Amino acid sequence: MTPARVLPLAAVLLLCLFPFYLDAAWLQIGLFAMAAAIGAIGLNLLTGSTGQLSLGHAFFLAVGAYGYAWFGGDPGLGLPPLLALLLAVALTGFAGGLFSPIAGRLRGMYLGVATLALVFLGHHVMLNAEPVTGGFNGRSVPAMEIFGFSFTGSDPYLAVLGVPFGATERLWYLALVLLAFAWWTAHNLLRGRSGRALTAVRDSEVAAAVLGVPVARYRSGAFIVSSMYAGLAGALIALISQTVVPDYFSLALSIDYLAMIVIGGLGSVGGAAVGALFVSALPLVIARYADQLPLIEGPGAPGNAVGPADAARYLYGAAIVLILLRAPGGLSGLLHSGKLRRFRTGVRPRTTNETQEPTS
């Protein structure tokens, strides 16, 4: 049992205990963080592991959220919620597949500009396709139900060890299962042959092509997989917030996800999750304690006061600058640095005198 295996198991056990000790507000923050972690893992597969810049992640989040609401809600097809969730992820993968030929041919900033168009196109569709999206006011989201068990607060009533389990507590375990599945899938993908091919494409496309890696196909595949992760995260966000509105899925959301993977560490599954926790939870925590923090006003304050969202962006903007200057590998790079590795293994670094050759 190495630390690399013990720490994830301990983290999962700790997360399972949170609903018994935390109130609903903190659980709500954790739910949004887990949903963001799923989307960040998907973006990291594309940007961190393949080297493809994407600014259209918010578009695929919106496809997953509205897809679930349409497949399972009214107006909509009214399908069982679990089937609606699967179809929403498949729909997002289909949308990514439509764009994948472009993703297979463009790279770097050119792909970033191309995916930027998806955000503006999606926002226009969300505002004008009112029968599906509800227009500017958005639409409600049907509750999740799996094999007759409803993820709501009252039907059926559920209490575990004397703790009532409402909608937030039930969704907590659903989000935890989805995050564990996303983590496990991405981890196995990067450790396998496909992961090595993606890394080769990121490091040198010429060298990857010489080794027989079909560069365009792997770029397109990474884009599709990343969009499916975003679709799952979008559907989970819709379940947590119980409503979806167009203004949430803006360009700022795509930039937030880029900040998550940069802060956490490009190419690292765990780093993407940690970065998502930092970026998504920070504005919610600041909003909770806005009345106790200096220079920060509560949400909706008049004038030019600094609100929780603005303060959070200032803070993780500063974090990005520090990361790029002091730790280009992100938080995951710090955890795998030489000093911490020697600390974990108990190896004492050699001094200068020890490394010199003995003299006669």
Side-chain angles (χ1 to χ4, degrees):
M1 296 295 289
T2 62
R5 295 182 179 180
V6 173
L7 290 178
L9 293 176
V12 171
L13 178 61
L14 183 63
L15 289 173
C16 290
L17 295 176
F18 277 173
F20 294 96
Y21 298 98
L22 299 181
D23 58 20
W26 286 109
L27 293 179
Q28 192 85 356
I29 294 174
L31 282 172
F32 280 109
M34 285 193 281
I38 295 174
I41 290 172
L43 183 60
N44 217 1
L45 291 175
L46 178 65
T47 302
S49 300
T50 315
Q52 293 286 81
L53 177 64
S54 174
L55 295 175
H57 215 55
F59 169 78
F60 296 106
L61 287 163
V63 173
Y66 280 103
Y68 172 76
W70 170 254
F71 285 129
D74 184 24
L77 300 182
L79 299 175
L82 182 59
L83 179 59
L85 177 65
L86 296 176
L87 289 177
V89 176
L91 176 65
T92 316
F94 177 74
L98 293 178
F99 195 82
S100 63
I102 300 176
R105 288 171 173 81
L106 298 178
R107 63 178 180 177
M109 185 59 66
Y110 299 100
L111 179 61
V113 173
T115 54
L116 182 62
L118 291 175
V119 177
F120 298 112
L121 177 62
H123 193 263
H124 176 76
V125 172
M126 285 184 284
L127 289 177
N128 292 278
E130 294 188 10
V132 176
T133 65
F136 178 80
N137 295 321
R139 60 170 296 166
S140 59
V141 176
M144 174 57 67
E145 182 177 336
I146 300 178
F147 303 121
F149 180 80
S150 176
F151 287 79
T152 59
S154 57
D155 185 22
Y157 176 77
L158 178 64
V160 180
L161 300 178
V163 178
F165 268 45
T168 305
E169 288 80 7
R170 301 180 193 191
L171 283 175
W172 178 271
Y173 289 102
L174 175 64
L176 189 59
V177 169
L178 294 178
L179 175 59
F181 175 75
W183 186 308
W184 175 78
T185 305
H187 183 71
N188 288 340
L189 175 65
L190 293 178
R191 292 185 62 185
R193 180 178 179 182
S194 298
R196 292 190 294 270
L198 294 177
T199 303
V201 171
R202 179 196 64 190
D203 293 340
S204 175
E205 296 180 6
V206 176
V210 170
L211 292 174
V213 177
V215 175
R217 190 175 73 184
Y218 272 95
R219 280 181 180 173
S220 302
F223 195 86
I224 294 174
V225 172
S226 175
S227 64
M228 294 178 72
Y229 271 84
L232 179 60
L236 183 56
I237 290 173
L239 282 170
I240 297 169
S241 58
Q242 300 180 354
T243 183
V244 285
V245 292
D247 287 345
Y248 178 78
F249 305 99
S250 62
L251 177 61
L253 183 62
S254 293
I255 297 176
D256 286 347
Y257 275 89
L258 285 176
M260 294 175 192
I261 62 175
V262 171
I263 293 174
L266 295 175
S268 170
V269 177
V274 174
L277 173 63
F278 178 77
V279 174
S280 62
L282 186 60
L284 300 176
V285 173
I286 293 177
R288 183 178 175 88
Y289 296 103
D291 56 341
Q292 303 176 22
L293 297 175
L295 305 178
I296 298 177
E297 299 292 341
N304 297 322
V306 177
D310 295 331
R313 284 193 168 89
Y314 296 153
L315 289 175
Y316 69 69
I320 291 175
V321 174
L322 291 175
I323 288 291
L324 294 177
L325 290 177
R326 299 297 182 181
L331 297 178
S332 63
L334 288 177
L335 293 176
H336 293 86
S337 63
K339 292 182 180 180
L340 291 180
R341 184 165 58 248
R342 288 194 296 267
F343 176 78
R344 290 197 303 266
T345 57
V347 177
R348 183 173 61 90
R350 293 183 177 180
T351 63
T352 304
N353 294 332
E354 292 174 337
T355 58
Q356 291 179 350
E357 293 292 336
T359 58
S360 59

